[in-house]
Amino acid sequence: MKLSVIGAGYVGLTTAACLAQVGHDVFCSESDVEKLAKLQDGVMPLFEPHLEDVIKSVRKAGRLCFGSTEEAIAWGDAIFICVGTPPLPNGDADLSAIEGVARSIAKGAKGYRLVIEKSTVPVQTGGQLQKHLSVHSKNGLSYDVASNPEFLREGSSVEDFLHPDRIVIGVDSPRAEGVLRKIYEPIINQRFTCPIHLCCPKRKEPVFLATDTNSAELIKHASNSFLAMKISFINMVANLCEVVGADVTKVAQGMGLDPRVGPAFLNPGIGFGGFCFPKDVQAFIRIAEKSGCDFSLLKEVEKINQGRVELFIEKIRKELWVVRGKKIAVWGLAFKPNTDDVRFAPALEIGRMLLAEGAIIRAYDPEAMERAKMVLPEIICCADPYEAAEGADAVLLLTEWTEFRNVEWSRHATQVVRPLIRVGRNALPAQELASHGFEYIGIGGVSASRQMAESPLISI
Ligand code: UGA
């Protein structure tokens, strides 16, 4: 099928590349001219595992092109809107980019188009899109509007797109449902050449769930808010563990064994970051407020999350006594591993606060240093974790990249001034570190004496 994707951010690029990978002919547009030029030259504007390889191969096969919004609108029978919906100062999602695309479609498209909102939008945006398209269309455009929320995680978005648990669509006509089923057929049946696995691991076929547009829109915000709530919940349990002398990894393990709870998203830490959870929780609170529903539960989720960084800093202050002039190694700057995204990254907030208190920050992140340096130019970027830790009074593990688990602790022990490791994510072998003379302080009562050798690290 001929498909268009408008917006080449994490979601748009992954969507365009993966739809081309499963056999469609895709045109992807980007309004930022510099970024567009990069994409047309084959230069990746962001780091996302497997994405570069997929883009290279589908471009070579002639199934993916990049260009302007107008060209994209003229190309596809179905148009995926993947533009940004950043937060406004009051927490509402800024829908001006979506409105702009709707106007362009209304002005430029002829014949039938299925207009699909993939960007995360507040409930009833589909209705607004319908209205807008009908008010502004001039060229005899006939259209359907559908919602197709994405559940892609940065760092594994290609895998999530190609091997999803569910595909949710919100449609108001059988025609729209038919088009979306056809688009996703190769993924529903898991019949495509997988760019990630030679032999894909056996898993359940994705569930294809068709609802009305409002429900599909709500599924997205409700899912992200629920996951954020799980994180804030375990963060409070972690606080309690520290006070009463329990180990949060054990508590989370025990809770997660109940299938009604599940083990995922029970890793405590310095709070959730990134461009999705913080803004989506805020937007969901605003949606509820505007609809007259008291969803103060979510305000607590947000409040707990906002307190995580300050709590962490407070602990560092206690450990270091005087922060001013101390050399602090920061391992990890991205908001999570396997991405170079630093938007709303708790690690950057911690860096910013420690710098403000006069600390010298020597940082290392496998992918995110360039972006981090743009927002926090005072940090000293280092070539590897060892260089960052040279002469350090404390090492802070703030993003759980696998690379940090493989550090040679004996080598590392000789470099630091004080062998203090404070983790923002429980992702290091506490016992091994203790055997090399490190003071290891985990989150939620995790310590070397508690972490049994056979205890598995919970992965997110
Ligand atoms: C999230 C959702 O997981 C995706 O399903 C959704 O599609 C995406 O938002 C989106 O709306 O576009 P993402 O933001 O990429 O994906 O990252 P997550 O893996 O969900 O992590 C979000 C934050 O929560 C990170 O800062 C992570 O470190 C933190 N987290 C996650 C925890 O603190 N503890 C956990 O147990 C899990």
Side-chain angles (χ1 to χ4, degrees):
M1 287 178 75
K2 281 170 74 176
L3 305 176
S4 297
V5 174
I6 299 191
Y10 285 94
V11 173
L13 259 190
T14 304
T15 301
C18 292
L19 287 173
Q21 176 70 28
V22 302
H24 299 295
D25 294 313
V26 184
F27 194 102
C28 179
S29 73
E30 172 54 51
S31 56
D32 176 334
V33 282
E34 255 178 58
K35 193 166 166 190
L36 176 61
K38 272 191 181 175
L39 286 164
Q40 286 171 327
D41 287 349
V43 179
M44 284 293 285
L46 50 89
F47 169 77
E48 182 63 31
H50 306 294
L51 191 53
E52 187 169 4
D53 291 343
V54 176
I55 290 178
K56 260 190 203 148
S57 106
V58 291
R59 285 190 84 199
K60 203 166 151 206
R63 289 204 303 276
L64 175 64
C65 298
F66 294 104
S68 68
T69 307
E70 290 66 34
E71 288 171 295
I73 287 168
W75 172 263
D77 302 318
I79 303 173
F80 287 85
I81 305 180
C82 300
V83 295
T85 52
L88 289 167
N90 67 358
D92 278 345
D94 180 353
L95 300 178
S96 50
I98 301 227
E99 192 204 31
V101 173
R103 269 175 197 258
S104 304
I105 294 174
K107 222 170 75 187
K110 291 190 184 88
Y112 176 80
R113 291 289 190 285
L114 176 61
V115 179
I116 305 158
E117 34 163 70
K118 211 174 216 338
S119 309
T120 301
V121 290
V123 63
Q124 296 179 333
T125 300
Q128 291 291 353
L129 259 175
Q130 290 265 13
K131 237 195 251 167
H132 227 72
L133 287 168
S134 90
V135 168
H136 294 287
S137 68
K138 293 202 174 77
N139 298 321
L141 168 70
S142 78
Y143 59 86
D144 279 306
V145 169
S147 159
N148 173 215
E150 53 84 17
F151 305 106
L152 311 175
R153 291 161 300 174
E154 285 183 30
S156 57
S157 67
V158 174
E159 175 142 20
D160 290 348
F161 196 99
L162 294 172
H163 300 297
D165 303 310
R166 79 254 211 226
I167 295 164
V168 173
I169 62 160
V171 283
D172 299 319
S173 80
R175 183 175 187 177
E177 180 173 345
V179 175
L180 275 155
R181 264 188 196 279
K182 203 167 157 205
I183 293 173
Y184 281 110
E185 204 166 56
I187 296 175
I188 298 169
N189 300 329
Q190 291 288 287
R191 269 200 219 112
F192 53 83
T193 310
C194 181
I196 305 173
H197 315 103
L198 277 176
C199 179
C200 297
K202 263 213 156 344
R203 58 184 111 203
K204 281 193 204 147
E205 274 185 8
V207 174
F208 187 81
L209 177 66
T211 71
D212 56 282
T213 315
N214 285 346
S215 303
E217 290 167 342
L218 266 189
I219 286 171
K220 169 67 192 203
H221 265 133
S223 299
N224 273 9
S225 299
F226 186 83
L227 291 172
M229 182 180 73
K230 250 186 133 178
I231 299 170
S232 281
F233 185 90
I234 201 66
N235 279 334
M236 288 315 290
V237 175
N239 287 359
L240 195 57
C241 285
E242 285 174 15
V243 179
V244 301
D247 179 337
V248 71
T249 54
K250 294 279 171 255
V251 178
Q253 195 180 7
M255 286 168 63
L257 287 170
D258 182 336
R260 291 169 304 173
V261 177
F265 279 69
L266 286 180
N267 283 330
I270 45 181
F272 54 79
F275 206 57
C276 301
F277 284 179
K279 86 169 165 65
D280 289 353
V281 169
Q282 251 185 27
F284 209 34
I285 292 171
R286 289 285 297 157
I287 292 165
E289 267 171 9
K290 283 193 203 163
S291 316
C293 296
D294 179 8
F295 213 155
S296 39
L297 170 69
L298 282 184
K299 290 190 183 159
E300 276 306 306
V301 169
E302 196 182 29
K303 193 172 123 203
I304 293 166
N305 198 54
Q306 285 165 351
R308 297 309 287 168
V309 164
E310 180 54 43
L311 191 73
F312 189 75
I313 297 268
E314 190 47 45
K315 288 172 176 166
I316 297 165
R317 286 191 197 112
K318 272 196 192 134
E319 291 298 332
L320 294 182
W321 187 29
V322 174
V323 172
R324 180 164 298 282
K326 293 274 160 62
K327 266 193 199 164
I328 299 181
V330 165
W331 286 358
L333 295 162
F335 83 96
K336 61 182 271 189
N338 302 321
T339 177
D340 60 354
D341 196 348
V342 295
R343 290 174 298 175
F344 298 99
L348 273 200
E349 191 49 30
I350 288 167
R352 186 178 292 121
M353 286 173 76
L354 290 173
L355 282 166
E357 293 191 23
I360 299 150
I361 302 290
R362 295 169 60 83
Y364 170 71
D365 185 289
E367 295 292 338
M369 283 194 300
E370 210 176 297
R371 284 177 188 246
K373 194 86 184 149
M374 283 193 256
V375 274
L376 219 53
E378 304 95 318
I379 55 174
I380 301 163
C381 288
C382 301
D384 55 40
Y386 305 100
E387 193 183 307
E390 196 70 60
D393 295 281
V395 175
L396 311 180
L397 174 97
L398 301 185
T399 316
E400 65 279 36
W401 287 90
T402 313
E403 186 175 339
F404 299 128
R405 292 186 193 179
N406 302 327
V407 161
E408 277 174 53
W409 301 111
S410 49
R411 174 177 164 198
H412 176 49
T414 58
Q415 299 177 296
V416 289
V417 164
R418 177 179 168 191
L420 169 68
I421 297 223
R422 185 167 258 292
V423 300
R425 315 273 180 197
N426 287 326
L428 294 179
Q431 276 205 330
E432 193 186 333
L433 277 157
S435 72
H436 289 285
F438 283 96
E439 296 168 67
Y440 176 94
I441 309 172
I443 296 259
V446 176
S447 65
S449 54
R450 282 237 185 79
Q451 198 183 78
M452 316 269 277
E454 72 277 10
S455 159
L457 290 167
I458 297 176
S459 61
I460 294 174

